[in-house]
Amino acid sequence: AQSVAQPEDQVNVAEGNPLTVKCTYSVSGNPYLFWYVQYPNRGLQFLLKYITGDNLVKGSYGFEAEFNKSQTSFHLKKPSALVSDSALYFCAVRALDDKIIFGKGTRLHILP
Amino acid sequence: EAQVTQNPRYLITVTGKKLTVTCSQNMNHEYMSWYRQDPGLGLRQIYYSMNVEVTDKGDVPEGYKVSRKEKRNFPLILESPSPNQTSLYFCASSLTGLGNQPQHFGDGTRLSIL
């Protein structure tokens, strides 16, 4: 079955420390992968995507993600966390039938 | 400004009373979709539309209807709402339905069915 997993419901990081939000996927064929962020009372906002090419993808607000085909992972990273990065983060993947499957989300808390 | 607009943002209603949530995008996008967001379940797709007059079921279509008569509009219809449809709903659009472009989301509609 095609799926996306975000193994952590919540991640806590001290401000200024590096952060990682994990995502693994299971789809047939070459995956298209996305990260979105959701702030309170708002819709999801696009952060970055991997379609093809360089495995390290850079996106908005200083975020980046690394595509790892052998581990079927697409972890979101940032070198130095800000309190304003606190939000709900979703990983998504395009499935074989062109549908987009979303993970269940990871709540990121950046502690001042 | 490029945007997806949903109305209403909040609605409390009663079981069985038909309601419509409107969605409009101003980006000339071909693809539009409806999702519901529930705690612990993430986003689940209800219906999607690849273009005008083309709609298809997502993962949780039961109890919902949609139509796509114009490119910019994609209303979600609950003909006989029930309490298990209490949720946060999002409309989204993207340039095409190929899956290689990001989706633009509205700010959500919080529905409470009593």
Side-chain angles (χ1 to χ4, degrees):
Chain A
Q2 302 182 99
S3 63
V4 175
Q6 294 182 241
E8 300 154 319
D9 290 337
Q10 182 169 309
V11 172
N12 298 321
V13 177
E15 187 177 24
N17 282 3
L19 69 88
T20 298
V21 182
K22 295 179 181 177
C23 172
T24 59
Y25 64 90
S26 174
V27 296
S28 303
N30 294 322
Y32 294 167
L33 295 153
F34 302 83
W35 275 102
Y36 291 85
V37 60
Q38 184 182 28
Y39 298 103
N41 299 316
R42 299 298 303 275
L44 279 68
Q45 297 176 31
F46 169 72
L47 277 179
L48 50 80
K49 68 178 180 179
Y50 172 83
I51 304 299
T52 186
D54 195 346
N55 289 345
L56 185 63
V57 178
K58 294 188 183 299
S60 306
Y61 310 121
F63 283 94
E64 58 189 29
E66 186 167 12
F67 171 64
N68 188 316
K69 189 172 184 177
S70 62
Q71 296 185 7
T72 62
S73 67
F74 190 56
H75 301 333
L76 182 70
K77 300 184 180 187
K78 187 173 182 181
S80 179
L82 300 173
V83 172
S84 57
D85 292 330
S86 298
L88 186 57
Y89 290 80
F90 288 95
C91 181
V93 65
R94 186 201 67 165
L96 195 61
D97 53 2
D98 288 337
K99 288 185 181 177
I100 306 295
I101 303 172
F102 283 84
K104 294 183 179 179
T106 298
R107 191 163 296 279
L108 179 62
H109 286 288
I110 308 301
L111 309 170
Chain B
E1 180 188 353
Q3 58 186 1
V4 177
T5 303
Q6 296 179 228
N7 280 296
R9 291 290 314 278
Y10 304 91
L11 179 63
I12 301 173
T13 187
V14 295
T15 299
K17 187 177 181 181
K18 181 179 178 179
L19 68 91
T20 299
V21 184
T22 64
C23 174
S24 180
Q25 51 92 5
N26 62 359
M27 296 166 279
N28 202 36
H29 284 172
E30 291 183 351
Y31 180 88
M32 296 185 76
S33 181
W34 277 103
Y35 297 90
R36 59 178 289 173
Q37 183 179 9
D38 300 290
L41 298 177
L43 267 74
R44 294 180 292 168
Q45 191 176 49
I46 303 170
Y47 270 95
Y48 65 97
S49 170
M50 297 292 269
N51 214 325
V52 177
E53 302 291 0
V54 180
T55 63
D56 217 336
K57 295 178 181 179
D59 297 317
V60 288
E62 295 78 18
Y64 304 95
K65 283 178 59 177
V66 293
S67 68
R68 187 94 180 270
K69 293 182 170 46
E70 306 165 283
K71 200 170 189 179
R72 62 183 294 128
N73 296 323
F74 190 45
L76 179 69
I77 302 158
L78 285 71
E79 297 226 327
S80 184
S82 62
N84 64 10
Q85 292 177 298
T86 292
S87 187
L88 180 57
Y89 291 85
F90 289 100
C91 180
S93 72
S94 62
L95 189 61
T96 72
L98 294 176
N100 59 353
Q101 296 109 14
Q103 295 187 67
H104 298 251
F105 284 80
D107 282 337
T109 295
R110 187 169 293 280
L111 283 183
S112 294
I113 315 294
L114 304 178

